[in-house]
């Protein structure tokens, strides 16, 4: 079974950047093969990895729901999803990508989602790591499109309000049916001098466990602006260096 690391947090708090840098770290540390899952409807993990999907899972489920309505005798929904899942998978060197897409249409997706979960469980067996870039509301985890998560990283910007939002997501995670092994906070885009004492106090009050801090890195902004994959960021860039430390600590704790 693959080791699953999910990343959640409010929009704009650095989830996708952290997910892409985690994929980079795992590739550099013998963690391949990796399945990267973009579970944020505002999907852009593929761009940071330099991979583009042909079809998203949401589009595929839409097609499957219409197929059921048409009651095609030639192909069951199950066969159709399995067949189309291959088109939805972008295969790269050491890393494959699945983009969930969405939001879902008004139809009933329960059956399709159950099928998807079944395929995801089967699929994830072929990988050493699954890295999931989630949305703030943890919809995919609450729908249990994945069976269990070993580590949930919750991202926050370096503000009290941001930390309070992260704490809400962290609490939400404890109420899901999905089993989550460990939960950590990662503060991103932090000022050079580290976290202000007000923020440290807020973190202590929240009860979240701080795994690490990613500093503000102009190279990340530059690469984002130019649409360049993060694999090309210099190894000496502050965000890459900080993430290396963060993921080294994560490996030790797991
Ligand atoms: N460490 C960092 N330093 C500077 N800018 C960052 C850093 N991490 C993320 N950003 C920028 O913040 C914005 C949001 O980051 P992103 O990873 O897309 O967040 P999310 O996926 O949570 O919406 C992007 O423009 C990105 O370039
Ligand atoms: Mg994102």
């Amino acid at each position: 079974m693959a080791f699953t690391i999910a990343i959640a947090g409010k929009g704009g708090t650095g989830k996708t950047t952290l997910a892409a840098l985690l994929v980079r770290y795992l590739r550099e540390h013998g963690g391949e093969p990796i399945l990267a899952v973009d579970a944020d409807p505002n999907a852009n993990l593929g761009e940071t990895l330099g991979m583009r999907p042909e079809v998203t899972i949401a589009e595929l489920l839409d097609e499957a729901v219409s197929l059921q309505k048409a009651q095609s005798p030639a192909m069951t929904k199950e066969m159709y999803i399995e067949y189309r899942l291959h088109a939805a998978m972008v295969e790269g060197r050491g890393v494959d990508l699945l983009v969930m897409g969405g939001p879902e249409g008004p139809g009933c997706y329960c059956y399709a989602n159950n099928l998807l979960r079944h395929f995801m469980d089967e699929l994830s067996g072929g990988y050493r790591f699954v890295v999931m870039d989630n949305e703030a509301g943890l919809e995919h985890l609450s729908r249990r499109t994945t069976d269990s998560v070993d580590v949930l990283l919750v991202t926050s910007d370096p503000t009290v309000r941001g930390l309070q939002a992260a704490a809400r997501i962290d609490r939400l995670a404890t109420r899901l049916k999905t089993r989550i092994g460990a939960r950590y906070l990662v503060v991103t885009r932090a000022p050079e001098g580290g976290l202000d004492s007000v923020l440290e106090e807020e973190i202590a009050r929240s009860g979240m466990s701080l795994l690490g801090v990613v500093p503000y890195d102009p190279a990340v902004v530059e690469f984002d602006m130019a649409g360049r994959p993060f694999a090309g960021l210099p190894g000496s860039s502050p965000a890459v260096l900080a993430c290396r430390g963060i993921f080294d600590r994560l490996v030790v704790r797991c």
Side-chain angles (χ1 to χ4, degrees):
M1 211 43 201
F3 191 89
T4 301
I5 304 170
I7 301 173
K10 223 168 48 140
T13 54
K15 292 182 294 293
T16 302
T17 306
L18 193 67
L21 291 177
L22 174 56
V23 168
R24 172 181 168 146
Y25 174 91
L26 292 172
R27 293 187 70 183
E28 290 172 353
H29 290 78
E32 295 172 340
I34 304 157
L35 175 64
V37 180
D38 193 342
D40 190 342
N42 193 6
N44 62 352
L45 180 63
E47 284 157 32
T48 63
L49 297 175
M51 301 168 89
R52 197 181 290 274
E54 207 179 289
V55 60
T56 68
I57 296 291
E59 287 162 354
L60 180 156
L61 293 185
D62 261 335
E63 291 168 2
V65 169
S66 344
L67 186 83
Q68 186 191 32
K69 283 196 189 119
Q71 289 190 322
S72 160
M75 205 185 243
T76 64
K77 190 154 61 170
E78 187 164 346
M79 282 158 68
Y80 186 77
I81 290 184
E82 187 163 24
Y83 155 72
R84 289 291 281 158
L85 209 52
H86 294 286
M89 178 78 78
V90 191
E91 291 177 8
R93 260 190 298 135
V95 186
D96 293 343
L97 171 75
L98 262 187
V99 178
M100 292 300 190
E104 290 173 349
C108 176
Y109 287 78
C110 302
Y111 178 69
N113 267 323
N114 281 342
L115 273 183
L116 175 63
R117 197 176 123 224
H118 167 75
F119 287 126
M120 288 287 283
D121 284 349
E122 240 171 49
L123 203 70
S124 68
Y127 296 92
R128 287 191 68 186
F129 286 93
V130 175
V131 175
M132 266 183 103
D133 183 7
N134 287 275
E135 72 281 63
L138 300 173
E139 276 82 1
H140 277 285
L141 295 188
S142 62
R143 261 190 258 119
R144 302 189 69 205
T145 30
T146 181
D147 216 21
S148 67
V149 166
D150 296 288
V151 174
L152 176 71
L153 301 177
V154 181
T155 53
S156 173
D157 52 24
T159 65
V160 167
R161 241 190 288 281
L163 288 170
Q164 288 168 347
R168 275 194 294 277
I169 294 169
D170 188 61
R171 279 196 299 275
L172 176 66
T174 63
R175 297 203 298 268
L176 299 178
K177 280 194 191 134
T178 304
R179 187 193 68 81
I180 297 178
R183 308 188 316 277
Y184 296 108
L185 170 70
V186 176
V187 178
T188 68
R189 269 183 296 166
E192 216 172 297
L195 295 186
D196 192 273
S197 59
V198 177
L199 298 180
E200 283 177 350
E201 283 160 25
E202 185 61 37
I203 293 169
R205 208 176 7 247
S206 74
M208 289 185 290
S209 167
L210 179 66
L211 182 65
V213 175
V214 185
Y216 179 88
D217 186 342
V220 167
V221 179
E222 213 176 282
F223 268 60
D224 248 344
M225 290 225 300
R228 293 172 63 190
F230 287 156
L233 276 172
S236 58
S237 111
V240 174
L241 282 177
C243 283
R244 195 171 298 156
I246 288 172
F247 301 135
D248 279 346
R249 276 197 294 286
L250 188 61
V251 170
V252 170
R253 291 192 196 187
C254 291

